[in-house]
Amino acid sequence: MVKGKVALVTGAGSGIGKAAAIALAKEGYAIGALGRTASELDELVAEVKSQGGTAKALIADVADPYEMAHAIDQLTETFSRLDVVVANAGINGVWAPIEDLTPEEWDNTITVNLRGTYLTLNKSVPHLKAAGGGSIIIVSSINGTRTFTSPGATAYSATKAGQLAMAQQLALELGQYKIRVNAICPGAIETKIDDNTDIRSSRETAVPVEWPEGDIPITGGKAGLSEDVADLVVFLAGDKSRHITGTPVWIDGGQGLLR
Ligand code: NAD
């Protein structure tokens, strides 16, 4: 069990972020649960508290610098420090043929996923430095890092590749401050992300790759669970991963190797 440490989780209202917040709280971290939807965050905070943990809801759009500054201020005023940052909030956005994708659709995916990750770290790294070190975990994807066959996912893949590049670049920049930076790259995980997905003309962009026994070898085709990813978040947050930094960890049941 961890004592007196604080973790920020963005996109904590559902899916991987919610599972990560619950798992980190069980491990002993006080949780800053950041997201856009107050009702989801209130539910999560109540769940953490009912299990004996500590959490505070922080309402902010990760792409808005003022809201993020305010949210991180609230977090550090409440808990006095910050040790772990899970930059998880993200959307699939629009998956469409490149000539069909509008500039607005492109910008929306880049804004939430990449600018959101930048702002999350821009506002929180000073607090990790002040704490004398910490762990940053960026939730990327197999898309853009190991898999390039999801139909029309160009903007999404670009953001996920960009997030891994950020993790590697910052691992070096922040190593001297004892801050580790790693990227988690999940394959298909059962969450609400499909609500943020708009796929158009996928037959035009689909690449004919097919695996006869289901495309996630270790589960016979079934998607992973948010809890599977949350266990990895806890490992990368804590001291057992003390020598790991600048590393992508694929968590996909082998899915990314097939496509
Ligand atoms: P999800 O939709 O359940 O969760 C995403 C959360 O982020 C939601 O709570 C949403 O409200 C929040 N969010 C979205 N935009 C936001 C913004 N601008 N500001 C603040 N919060 C915002 O989906 P998930 O699958 O849990 O996704 C989490 C991360 O995992 C994403 O970065 C996604 O790209 C990545 N991922 C998911 C899968 C998968 O199969 N589910 C696979 C690979 C990577």
Side-chain angles (χ1 to χ4, degrees):
M1 279 287 277
V2 162
K3 275 212 173 93
K5 292 205 170 180
V6 180
L8 167 70
V9 181
T10 69
S14 60
I16 293 169
K18 181 175 184 179
I22 290 169
L24 286 166
K26 280 190 184 147
E27 196 66 15
Y29 295 91
I31 307 297
L34 189 146
R36 282 188 302 195
T37 315
S39 55
E40 286 184 349
L41 296 175
D42 289 345
E43 221 171 89
L44 166 73
V45 168
E47 187 170 341
V48 166
K49 286 185 177 165
S50 75
Q51 294 170 354
T54 307
K56 181 174 176 59
L58 304 165
I59 313 294
D61 177 341
V62 286
D64 185 309
Y66 302 102
E67 291 183 16
M68 285 303 284
H70 180 61
I72 307 286
D73 282 352
Q74 278 184 296
L75 171 69
T76 51
E77 277 162 23
T78 306
F79 296 129
S80 308
R81 58 183 292 141
L82 183 58
D83 304 278
V84 170
V85 175
V86 185
N88 162 78
I91 55 168
N92 275 346
V94 177
W95 295 12
I98 190 68
E99 67 274 28
D100 184 40
L101 192 67
T102 69
E104 293 73 25
E105 290 164 347
W106 171 268
D107 283 349
N108 189 39
T109 305
I110 304 291
T111 300
V112 176
N113 293 2
L114 264 188
R115 179 178 159 103
T117 302
Y118 147 70
L119 281 173
T120 301
L121 304 187
N122 173 260
K123 303 294 176 217
S124 57
V125 160
H127 299 287
L128 298 181
K129 286 185 177 175
S135 175
I136 295 171
I137 298 150
I138 299 175
V139 182
S140 171
S141 172
I142 58 170
N143 285 290
T145 62
R146 185 147 98 161
T147 292
F148 297 88
T149 51
S150 297
T154 308
Y156 181 73
S157 293
T159 64
K160 295 293 153 178
Q163 285 180 312
L164 175 54
M166 287 174 75
Q168 291 170 313
Q169 177 83 24
L170 290 172
L172 289 181
E173 181 176 321
L174 300 176
Q176 61 181 308
Y177 302 102
K178 307 278 178 247
I179 299 170
R180 297 182 295 108
V181 192
N182 292 293
I184 288 181
C185 306
I189 304 293
E190 257 183 64
T191 68
K192 278 174 44 178
I193 199 149
D194 287 346
D195 300 353
N196 292 316
T197 310
D198 176 4
I199 301 180
R200 288 201 304 264
S201 315
S202 62
R203 258 189 298 178
E204 284 173 34
T205 45
V207 180
V209 281
E210 216 171 276
W211 177 252
E213 301 293 337
D215 76 347
I216 307 175
I218 212 154
T219 59
K222 263 184 70 186
L225 301 177
S226 294
E227 289 74 15
D228 297 331
V229 184
D231 283 345
L232 177 58
V233 170
V234 170
F235 170 69
L236 288 174
D239 215 37
K240 287 194 174 152
S241 61
R242 60 194 166 274
H243 205 50
I244 303 177
T245 193
T247 296
V249 184
W250 286 280
I251 176 160
D252 66 350
Q255 181 187 22
L257 292 170
L258 289 169
R259 318 204 267 147

